[in-house]
């Protein structure tokens, strides 16, 4: 291997200067990987309801902990962004003429994200504070 | 200086007369499953986080108040299948971007399929075989 793959990737990512399109892409990739990582563990632990309930009980203790509650807020953000940006990707894929409005569509994604996340926070933060004993 | 000649309409129609590749089905699957997942995943989130609240989740609740309803089992089953395959395919896309050695790719693909199948089966078995209340 004559060129270091990681180095080339990082160098070129900086040089590309793709602006909003490039950010949209990297956030989509990172959020997807993050959700997948969680999902794999989540499927395994929930299946313990059938295979070995004591392990599920242990998992629940973790899920109800405050650090994990904070992690859930990050998960919600990742999921919401990935889904909304995904719609944008699919729309442009099926109607390429929409490429002209790429930037506006990304702004719309963030607007919807802000809305959805505000609702999510308004419900999950009080619950988290209550679990932490601060409310 | 060469100029490119666009293919005639007849040529284009003849070119398309080949079967769809696995990759192009995968491409379509990502978009269709993604749309379905928006409803399934966000709905799941609402059920667990907004309606019940994570602090109120118990094993008993899962068995007696969720999986006692067949439609919820069907929902969870679809969510499981679509989300995990959607995610694994996405993961594969990322891998292909950065790994170019063909042997390494073969090994990684095998791991993704094998590992994915194990997890998928664990989830499916749990959803289907947990005794009904």
């Amino acid at each position: 291997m004559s060129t270091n793959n990681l180095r080339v990737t990082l160098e070129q990512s900086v040089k590309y200067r793709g602006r909003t399109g490039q950010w949209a892409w990297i956030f989509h990739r990172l959020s997807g990987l993050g959700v997948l990582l969680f999902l794999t563990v989540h499927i395994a632990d929930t299946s313990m309801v059938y295979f070995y309930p004591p392990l599920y009980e242990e998992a629940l203790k973790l899920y109800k902990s405050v650090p994990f509650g904070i992690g859930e807020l990050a998960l919600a953000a990742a999921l919401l962004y990935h889904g909304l940006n995904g719609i944008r990707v699919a729309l442009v894929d099926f109607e390429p003429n929409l490429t002209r409005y790429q930037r506006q569509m990304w702004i719309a994604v963030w607007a919807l994200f802000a809305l959805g996340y505000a609702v999510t926070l308004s419900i999950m933060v009080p619950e988290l504070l209550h679990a932490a004993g601060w409310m | 200086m060469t100029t490119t000649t666009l293919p005639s309409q007849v040529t284009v129609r003849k070119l398309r007369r080949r079967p769809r590749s696995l990759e192009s089905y995968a491409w379509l699957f990502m978009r269709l499953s993604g749309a379905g997942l928006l409803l399934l995943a966000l709905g799941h989130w609402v059920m667990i986080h907004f309606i019940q609240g994570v602090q109120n989740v118990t094993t008993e609740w899962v068995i007696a108040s969720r999986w006692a309803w067949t439609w919820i089992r069907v929902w969870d089953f679809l969510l499981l299948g679509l989300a995990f395959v959607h995610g694994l395919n996405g993961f594969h896309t990322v891998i292909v971007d950065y790994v170019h050695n063909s042997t390494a790719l073969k090994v990684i693909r095998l791991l993704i399929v094998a590992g994915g199948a194990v997890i998928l089966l664990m989830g499916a078995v749990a959803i289907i075989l947990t005794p009904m209340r």
Side-chain angles (χ1 to χ4, degrees), chain A residues 15-121:
Chain A
K15 288 181 183 170
Y16 181 65
R17 294 169 201 246
R19 295 187 288 174
T20 58
Q22 189 177 8
W23 302 337
W25 174 83
I26 191 65
F27 288 157
H28 199 78
R29 182 159 279 203
L30 291 174
S31 61
L33 290 172
V35 173
L36 180 64
L37 189 66
F38 164 78
L39 185 61
T40 309
V41 175
H42 184 48
I43 295 172
D45 75 65
T46 306
S47 72
M48 291 305 133
V49 167
Y50 174 78
F51 290 111
Y52 193 58
L55 264 180
Y56 183 62
E57 300 280 335
E58 281 305 305
L60 281 180
K61 281 186 199 148
L62 176 66
Y63 285 161
K64 292 174 184 180
S65 71
V66 173
F68 196 83
I70 297 173
E72 270 175 350
L73 296 177
L75 177 66
L79 193 62
L80 199 54
Y81 173 79
H82 191 87
L84 291 174
N85 190 48
I87 301 178
R88 187 187 62 91
V89 170
L91 284 175
V92 174
D93 276 350
F94 289 124
E95 185 42 77
N97 289 323
L98 287 174
T99 310
R100 295 184 59 195
Y101 305 107
Q102 190 94 277
R103 207 169 157 268
Q104 289 91 319
M105 288 173 81
W106 200 53
I107 292 172
V109 164
W110 281 111
L112 289 168
F113 175 85
L115 193 64
Y117 203 54
V119 171
T120 304
L121 286 177

Side-chain angles (χ1 to χ4, degrees), chain B residues 63-83:
Chain B
I63 302 176
S65 306
R66 281 183 58 77
W67 288 351
W69 309 108
T70 309
W71 69 270
I72 292 191
R73 291 208 197 203
V74 170
W75 182 306
D76 282 359
F77 188 77
L78 284 172
L79 179 61
L80 168 70
L82 290 180

Side-chain angles (χ1 to χ4, degrees), chain B residues 91-103:
Chain B
F91 183 63
H92 176 256
T93 303
V94 175
I95 294 289
V96 168
D97 269 357
Y98 303 121
V99 176
H100 303 132
N101 180 305
S102 57
T103 314

Side-chain angles (χ1 to χ4, degrees), chain B residues 14-32:
Chain B
K14 279 192 181 148
L15 282 171
R16 227 315 165 207
R17 264 186 221 302
R18 13 177 248 286
R20 255 216 149 121
S21 66
L22 174 64
E23 253 199 44
S24 89
Y25 275 120
W27 179 91
L28 195 58
F29 172 77
M30 291 306 266
R31 279 119 186 102
L32 296 179

